[in-house]
Amino acid sequence: MNYKTIDSSRISMSQLMQPSHSNFSGKIHGGYILNLMDQIAFACASKHSETYCVTASVDTVDFLNPIEIGDLVTMKASVNCVGHTSIVVGIRVESENIRTGKMKHCNSSYFTMVAKNDLGNSVEVPGLIINDKTEIKRFLKALKRKETKESRQSEFNSEDFSHTDYLEELKSYRVKIELPDNY
């Protein structure tokens, strides 16, 4: 198996936000930002794997700060973790007011991409060379996110999963439960 450094597939792209990218409140539409994030995740994963990659999942999409029309948005993507055929790409989104120079962190997200061959079959990806503490932390955090997701899916898909196990917990939320007596 061959190995590649994280730096060898790191990508950055910038784009000026225009009125056509805005939503009804005059801010940049989150869906447009997600589209750009998917593009940079694809480019980063494909550069690492040297093949076509598809999006398998997106984890932790939190819109932290709004992006304004006229802001310069910069996205930075790097490989955080690799599996046998998958690549976790971490993306950081920042916006800059080009008149004042003020920078805002708008989003960080994690895209899991799967490498495919020309027939659409999953293919092995190169291993990862990690060479600093930040890269180790990102790799470990990606593993923990995967572990948490698998645990959650296992709990929810279990035949033993029952709403009655959670009724007491639900009382602490803003919900009124009105089930029929025979339910």
Side-chain angles (χ1 to χ4, degrees):
M1 177 189 337
N2 64 333
Y3 291 82
K4 294 176 89 173
T5 65
I6 291 171
D7 284 341
S8 68
S9 56
R10 197 177 305 269
I11 293 187
S12 178
M13 74 176 192
S14 297
Q15 185 173 350
L16 188 63
M17 295 296 104
Q18 300 177 25
S20 62
H21 304 139
S22 67
N23 59 25
F24 293 112
S25 68
K27 308 297 182 195
I28 300 306
H29 196 286
Y32 182 72
I33 298 302
L34 283 170
N35 179 306
L36 293 176
M37 293 171 74
D38 192 51
Q39 290 177 41
I40 197 168
F42 165 81
C44 182
S46 294
K47 190 173 180 181
H48 180 79
S49 66
E50 299 176 3
T51 190
Y52 184 78
C53 290
V54 297
T55 306
S57 69
V58 181
D59 193 12
T60 316
V61 178
D62 295 320
F63 294 97
L64 306 173
N65 289 295
I67 300 172
E68 308 291 335
I69 295 169
D71 281 0
L72 181 65
V73 169
T74 300
M75 297 188 181
K76 300 172 185 174
S78 63
V79 173
N80 285 6
C81 183
V82 296
H84 184 70
T85 62
S86 65
I87 301 169
V88 176
V89 176
I91 303 169
R92 181 178 174 93
V93 180
E94 297 174 333
S95 70
E96 178 182 3
N97 179 313
I98 57 175
R99 290 177 288 141
T100 66
K102 182 179 177 188
M103 300 286 293
K104 292 188 295 190
H105 175 209
C106 300
N107 188 338
S108 289
S109 193
Y110 309 94
F111 281 59
T112 300
M113 311 297 288
V114 176
K116 299 286 187 173
N117 63 16
D118 292 339
L119 300 173
N121 299 317
S122 299
V123 295
E124 189 173 39
V125 299
L128 203 55
I129 298 171
I130 296 176
N131 54 28
D132 70 30
K133 288 179 187 177
T134 300
E135 292 174 357
I136 292 171
K137 285 181 187 178
R138 288 177 179 164
F139 191 92
L140 290 171
K141 286 179 180 181
L143 293 178
K144 288 294 183 185
R145 277 191 305 276
K146 180 180 180 190
E147 186 179 289
T148 300
K149 180 180 179 180
E150 288 172 352
S151 172
R152 185 177 62 238
Q153 285 176 335
S154 176
E155 176 186 2
F156 292 164
N157 294 337
S158 169
E159 289 183 24
D160 297 335
F161 185 84
S162 170
H163 70 282
T164 57
D165 295 338
Y166 298 90
L167 288 176
E168 202 57 40
E169 181 182 338
L170 287 175
K171 290 180 181 178
S172 66
Y173 292 92
R174 294 182 44 105
V175 62
K176 187 175 181 180
I177 301 170
E178 297 179 349
L179 297 175
D181 292 335
N182 61 350
Y183 194 68

